[in-house]
Amino acid sequence: AQSVTQLGSHVSVSEGALVLLRCNYSSSVPPYLFWYVQYPNQGLQLLLKYTTGATLVKGINGFEAEFKKSETSFHLTKPSAHMSDAAEYFCAVSRGGSQGNLIFGKGTKLSVKP
Amino acid sequence: KAGVTQTPRYLIKTRGQQVTLSCSPISGHRSVSWYQQTPGQGLQFLFEYFSETQRNKGNFPGRFSGRQFSNSRSEMNVSTLELGDSALYLCASSLARLGDEQYFGPGTRLTVT
């Protein structure tokens, strides 16, 4: 069975500081990994995804994530936080194909202080 | 290209009633998935439809059902509503190739009183 653990339900950073949101996954098959962001009263927007190949993945809005198989991790980072980054972030795993449904972590709410 | 649309956006129903939610996927997408989002349980997968067939199902009671039409539009139905069914219901569409991401609609906020 697949599962996702996001460490820290709330993370608070100052504007301009590094953003680090942690995600660990469990999967019996090579996983497809995703980060989504959700703003209040909206659906989920894809930030980035890992399928195969390069383990450092760049996404939208300056975010990136690194797939580390040995650590079963897929942490999300951004060098410098902006106020507009305040939202909830979800890490998700999928087996792909006909088993392509997403298994989500519980989410991390990011606050950005001025 | 238009995104995933869901109707209605907000809905208030009474316990025991039934409700139907609608989702129109991105043009060309044949896979539609439904998720329930609640503060307590987070995001949980309900079911996926591909080419009018349910091919994947989450762990929800039979009161939750869905269908997909030939134009890929999908509906989900919840019968005999319970207070615990209050949630944001999200629809997502995908090309469903290996590694493809899912594109989410804005959701339908269902409140059961």
Side-chain angles (χ1 to χ4, degrees), chain B residues 44-64:
Chain B
Q44 294 184 286
F45 170 69
L46 281 156
F47 30 65
E48 183 213 2
Y49 285 86
F50 182 83
S51 293
E52 303 179 64
T53 301
Q54 187 184 92
R55 71 172 181 178
N56 210 356
K57 188 177 186 306
N59 189 25
F60 277 82
R63 300 185 297 108
F64 292 82

Side-chain angles (χ1 to χ4, degrees), chain B residues 4 33 43 50 95:
Chain B
V4 178
S33 297
L43 281 153
F50 182 83
L95 286 169

Side-chain angles (χ1 to χ4, degrees), chain A residues 32-112:
Chain A
Y32 299 109
L33 295 160
F34 306 82
W35 274 100
Y36 283 86
V37 62
Q38 186 177 35
Y39 297 98
N41 299 315
Q42 292 187 27
L44 278 69
Q45 179 184 8
L46 179 72
L47 283 175
L48 49 79
K49 68 176 184 180
Y50 170 78
T51 53
T52 59
T55 56
L56 183 62
V57 180
K58 294 188 185 299
I60 62 171
N61 302 338
F63 285 94
E64 62 181 38
E66 186 171 10
F67 171 63
K68 291 187 176 181
K69 185 178 178 181
S70 61
E71 299 177 8
T72 59
S73 69
F74 190 56
H75 301 331
L76 182 71
T77 60
K78 181 174 180 178
S80 177
H82 297 157
M83 297 296 292
S84 59
D85 294 327
E88 190 156 20
Y89 292 79
F90 293 92
C91 181
V93 64
S94 164
R95 297 178 67 174
S98 61
Q99 299 290 322
N101 60 286
L102 296 166
I103 307 297
F104 286 93
K106 292 291 189 183
T108 298
K109 192 165 288 188
L110 175 67
S111 301
V112 182

